[in-house]
Amino acid sequence: MDRRKKREKTTVTKPSTVDAPLPPKISPSEAFIVTLSSVLGLGLAFYVANSGFSIDLVTDPSRTIFFIWLVELPIVILLYSRYRQNPRQCMCLVFVCHVQYLRAVGRGLLAVPIGALLNCLGAIALGAPVTFQFLPKTVNWSLMMSLFTTVPASCVLGSSWAHWKRIFAQTQPNGSVEYLICLPAHGAVIGGWFGAWPMPLDWERPWQEWPICVSYGAIGGYMVGLVASCVFVLARARSQHVKQT
Amino acid sequence: MKEREIEGAARRRKITGKWRYTWHLWVTLLLHIAAIVLFTRGFLLTRTELPHYSNSSDVSESQCLYSSSHNNTTTSSWTKPAVNRLIIIVLDALRFDFVAPSTFFPESKHWMDKLKVLKEVVSKSPTSAKIFKAIADPPTTSLQRLKGLTTGGLPTFVDVGNSFGAPAIVEDNFLNQLVQSGKKVVMMGDDTWTQLFPHHFERSYPYPSFNVKDLDTVDNGCIEHLFPSLYEDDWDVLISHFLGVDHAGHIFGVDSTQMTEKLEQYNSILEKVIEVLEKESGPGRLHENTLLVVMGDHGQTLNGDHGGGGAEEVETAIFAMSVKKPPSSVPVEYDTSSCQLDLDGKNVCVSSMQQLDFAVTMSALLGIPFPYGSIGQVNPELYALGAGSWNLDVSQQLSESDIWIQNYANILCINSWQVKRYIDAYSASSAVGFSSDDLSRVASVYAQAENHWLRSTKKLQLDKKDIDALVPALKKQIESYFNFLRTVAELARSKWTEFDLRMMGAGIAIMSISLMFQVLAILRANSQDGATLASSGYAWFFSASASAFFLLGMRAVSFLSNSFILEEGKVANFLLSTSGIVALRKSVVKGKLLKESVGFLLLSTFCRFGIEIGLSKQASTSAFMKEYTSWILNIASGLAVWNHAAEVVPILVLIILAFWLYKATSDIFFGWPRKIVVVCTILSYMLIIVHWITENNRYILAFMPESIGRIYIPRIVYAILLGQLLLLVFAQLFKGNSSDCKTNLVVKTTAMLSAWSSTVILLSGKQGPMVAFASIVGGYCIMRLCDIEDDAKNGPQRRLSIGPFPVMQWNLFATCLFFCSGHWCAFDGLHYGAAFIGFEEFMLVPQAIILTLDTYGFSIILPVFGLPFLVAMKYKADLGKHVLFTQLSQMYTTYGLITAIMTTFTIYCVTMHRRHLMVWGLFAPKFVFDVFGLLLTDVLICLASLYYFDQGKDGHNHN
């Protein structure tokens, strides 16, 4: 219901950027930090799973993915919430700033189950198994995908339907933070889509099971997206720098 | 300037009426027929099974000296039995190098020299035991090989005359001849034998063969029954089929410890068997004159694959040992063996033979008539192992080997006569027989041999005087028979086992030409659009349809792998859902049609479950597919509520459909013939409901005999369909009253679909109404999503042509419906039960048509006839005939192109994988289904073009 209202509103006021101010621009170094910490988080999760519990994605996909999203959850939410919309008021009041930050974190936490549900439904529509033995794997995978796709957007954009539509339906990111949201999310989804293709092959490898190769594809796509968005931010900063001088 | 010229040309061509929109559809049909006929001639080797059987009295028709001429003439037999009992031990997928000593090969591998006992026996008594390298003929799959071994023929993929579904051999064969001659056969092991020969065995101990992971069940069963049977006297022929080596190869490969363990186990079994035979070999004992044959049905590659014609796959081994020692070994002229010292320094000789010759040689040894369709020759070396082949009650002036030669010549005479008889009968009765050139060549070779026989050899044998002239004459005779039999075998091989690559290449070339032609036709229609409508031509066409091309490309490329063909339903559904997600994205961007796109996505999710249920059926019926049940969904069944729901829900849905049809047609103005058609359809629906109710005994109505419900109602429904189609053709003759071309098209499409729907629903059974409902919902969603690209503000100048994306969705959805309705691309995926709805007995033509309607009803017939909806719903205003028909023809071409691209990739795939293990199990059925579907689609498109494109007077509206 709420969504629909939003949609009607945006269709009436066509220039969608008017009703919701743009998120702040971030410097290439910040983008680099976000990318690096996300990638390092993934690495850390794999390391913990591998050395601490001697499992990996193939032997115990459910728990490994659990580690991944557990490690990524604070990194993504805490980092992206810093780039929330309207941080201008921060200048005046530190207290407001904190409240806003906490609200962004809250939005991010709220987006985790919602995004997981959306991802899960998409995966089931595309053919993910629905039996009980796959339930923990599917749940963990959906939570991971949620962190890759919806959570950053939710932290930064809040519930602004116009921004969501522009980034996810039209793929028109505007500004450096939006690149950091848009490209990794698309990368993760497209990577996961391609990752599903080896599943029917008769190679009889353990990694062909749901959701192992899909997760590999999604993680790969996510990282590519992160790196690409970093490059974009850098390139944009360069060109603006040239313009200013 | 150029555009104006095109428009002018188009106006000039308007004289030709509707043909200008549809001629390319007919050209495409012709091109496809040519391509497919050529390719199929080269690829699908066919052979007709003859229903003739050899009889023991037949041999009197020949000019040969058969054995009865020496005894009383009442009970003639073809040959004199040379052995009394036969033990055949089949070791599945026995490579030649498992049996032959490793010194025969350039490199010694550790799976060699494991069956030591065979070598020892051969080196100890070379006259009574022999190892053969047996060359099998492709396809090297167990079923085809067993068929070949027993019939002595060359089974192909399509043996015409095959009974529907059941694999039992109907041709004359070795086992049939054994039973006819009163011999008793005992079988143990692989259950393929009991499928092939359901009534031939005195006793049988079959074990399931499909579980490839299980290395031991079949083998242990064999061992359990083999040794007690060896001490029994209630059988003449014993067959024991071990599967362990085949399974070990499939799972672990040849180079594995499991394989060597299996071979060592077999070695000990064979040791024991030979020990028992030798113990019982004394005069009057059980195995006084027994022949032991240890053989493979085919080889395997190092990965354990087989099916193709590679050297490793066709080379297998036959070991034969006669318990009773023959007095001498085969005359040197007929000895093909080559000898080597093995690792222990013993001399081991290995001969070579064709597996084709097995059936006839065994028949000759046992003294039974040769199978009618056998084209093999009696192998001299194997025949010489039979002790009885050496003594004949003719004059004893000849030496042992000369007697044998005389005996052998007589057998070859019968052999050649029998092969000639088969070739003549085959070419007389088969539609695609041998060419007359080949036949006359065979006939002349035979005449030559026969001449020589009648002129000299036979006389010399009967006279028994000129001994010196006899032996050279016999040798010459044998030579000429060899020549004849070789010629026949060569001819048969070229006809039944070799792909004609030139034909296949020509087919592929024509298919590619047709694809280019179709693309050109679409582009041409587009450029015409450019002239009349506001559009930006090619560039737009390619950019707007990138996603459609992507989906098409992914689906087409997926056909190149066997795994994706197996899971084709899931792949199609994956792509359908992807297209749904893409549509949802678009509708979010445009902010409209959100309901439809979400509905479509939900529908594709439902489809997905339908497909999984269908695939689980496939897995349970087909042993071959058992391996691939990886993602199968398990549904809790067996609840009583489900049973009731399964009966009531289809009826309710059908009532809803009838009501919906009534509502939908009452709004629009229909001409009276079409009104009747719709009313008839509703009547058909009611009849179907009655049919289903009477099917369940519980609800049977007392006043109605059962047969009315079961037989006559379906026939009435079929008759109504025919009547409706005739009525629609009849209605074509009248001009539609409404000048509105678009309404006219909608009315026609609705009438056509409603006419087909009743029969298709009836044939699909209880799931029919649900699938029909799903297809209506899906079709509606795709239709509505068509104009997602359009922006209302563009006004009259908006882009009018429909890109390929909706057509691609339409096609994917149709494919999903094929799998949803429980079909799959294999011959056991056909619903043979549907062919008997309304029929008690088997009638080929009507039931083939009904089976086609059932198989392709939802996936081809309804989608093709429903395609005009996509065009008709697109336009709010009536834009005139020209625009509408250009669009429609373009749409049909696109649909045809998509189907053709799929089929072309299937053709590439079978060409590439023609020597693949699964070519006959998977690729060839897929090929047959696709090709048939393509031709049906083309024909229906052409028929639809006749039906939908009429020469209305409103042709100039668009100006």
Side-chain angles (χ1 to χ4, degrees), chain B residues 576-680:
Chain B
L576 183 75
S577 295
T578 308
S579 82
I581 290 170
V582 171
L584 179 67
R585 229 177 89 105
K586 271 190 205 159
S587 77
V588 168
V589 172
K590 302 282 177 191
K592 59 178 181 180
L593 295 172
L594 215 55
K595 240 185 293 172
E596 280 82 0
S597 51
V598 170
F600 187 70
L601 205 54
L602 279 180
L603 187 75
S604 73
T605 312
F606 281 123
C607 267
R608 176 226 141 153
F609 290 112
I611 290 169
E612 273 173 22
I613 292 166
L615 279 178
S616 67
K617 274 187 217 152
Q618 170 183 9
S620 63
T621 52
S622 154
F624 174 72
M625 304 293 174
K626 202 78 183 175
E627 278 291 285
Y628 302 95
T629 52
S630 49
W631 297 355
I632 295 307
L633 173 88
N634 296 318
I635 319 150
S637 57
L639 285 165
V641 186
W642 283 113
N643 293 337
H644 285 294
E647 277 164 22
V648 178
V649 170
I651 293 172
L652 285 180
V653 175
L654 198 55
I655 291 171
I656 293 170
L657 283 179
F659 181 70
W660 176 83
L661 188 63
Y662 175 75
K663 280 286 282 182
T665 52
S666 62
D667 293 345
I668 324 171
F669 175 75
F670 270 55
W672 63 266
R674 302 206 175 95
K675 199 91 198 172
I676 294 177
V677 167
V678 171
V679 170
C680 282

Side-chain angles (χ1 to χ4, degrees), chain A residues 7 122-131 161 165 168-171 186 193-194 196-202 204, chain B residues 550 554 558 561-564 567 571 573-575 577-578 581 585 588-589 591 594 605 608-609 612 627-628 631 633:
Chain A
R7 187 162 59 91
I124 286 172
L126 288 171
V130 288
T131 43
W161 175 248
K165 194 173 98 173
F168 288 109
Q170 283 168 306
T171 325
H186 278 79
W193 191 87
F194 278 104
W197 278 94
M199 284 174 77
L201 287 171
D202 59 352
E204 301 199 359
Chain B
F550 179 72
M554 285 308 274
S558 77
S561 160
N562 57 335
S563 318
F564 289 120
E567 307 266 13
V571 173
N573 191 256
F574 185 74
L575 293 174
S577 295
T578 308
I581 290 170
R585 229 177 89 105
V588 168
V589 172
L594 215 55
T605 312
R608 176 226 141 153
F609 290 112
E612 273 173 22
E627 278 291 285
Y628 302 95
W631 297 355
L633 173 88

Side-chain angles (χ1 to χ4, degrees), chain A residues 16-236:
Chain A
S16 54
T17 44
V18 174
D19 63 335
L22 280 173
K25 291 200 172 61
I26 57 170
S27 64
S29 57
E30 277 177 302
F32 183 69
I33 288 168
V34 171
T35 303
L36 193 68
S37 46
S38 297
V39 172
L40 282 181
L42 284 173
L44 177 72
F46 274 109
Y47 177 76
V48 167
N50 215 338
S51 61
F53 297 85
S54 62
I55 52 172
D56 59 19
L57 207 46
V58 178
T59 51
D60 193 346
S62 181
R63 275 210 287 170
T64 313
I65 296 174
F66 172 74
F67 281 124
I68 291 173
W69 73 257
L70 204 65
V71 174
E72 283 285 299
L73 182 75
I75 296 176
V76 168
I77 291 184
L78 296 179
L79 272 179
Y80 279 95
S81 294
R82 290 178 59 209
Y83 311 116
R84 68 202 174 274
Q85 282 172 349
N86 308 337
R88 267 168 254 146
Q89 284 97 330
C90 276
M91 312 279 177
C92 331
L93 264 174
V94 179
F95 173 70
V96 174
C97 189
H98 280 304
V99 167
Q100 278 184 350
Y101 185 74
L102 287 178
R103 275 182 66 186
V105 169
R107 283 199 306 262
L109 286 174
L110 193 67
V112 173
I114 295 172
L117 190 70
L118 284 177
N119 276 302
C120 182
L121 288 180
I124 286 172
L126 288 171
V130 288
T131 43
F132 274 111
Q133 57 162 333
F134 284 104
L135 189 68
K137 295 178 191 172
T138 311
V139 167
N140 281 314
W141 178 85
S142 309
L143 287 167
M144 181 185 78
M145 286 304 283
S146 171
L147 280 170
F148 290 167
T149 52
T150 50
V151 173
S154 168
C155 288
V156 175
L157 305 173
S159 55
S160 158
W161 175 248
H163 284 307
W164 280 81
K165 194 173 98 173
R166 185 165 45 78
I167 288 177
F168 288 109
Q170 283 168 306
T171 325
Q172 286 170 350
N174 194 356
S176 39
V177 179
E178 291 190 1
Y179 273 108
L180 267 179
I181 299 167
C182 176
L183 293 185
H186 278 79
V189 170
I190 294 171
W193 191 87
F194 278 104
W197 278 94
M199 284 174 77
L201 287 171
D202 59 352
W203 298 344
E204 301 199 359
R205 297 292 147 84
W207 54 262
Q208 283 177 294
E209 284 272 313
W210 163 258
I212 300 168
C213 54
V214 178
S215 304
Y216 274 128
I219 292 170
Y222 178 64
M223 293 209 276
V224 169
L226 276 175
V227 172
S229 57
C230 228
V231 170
F232 262 103
V233 170
L234 198 67
R236 275 176 66 93

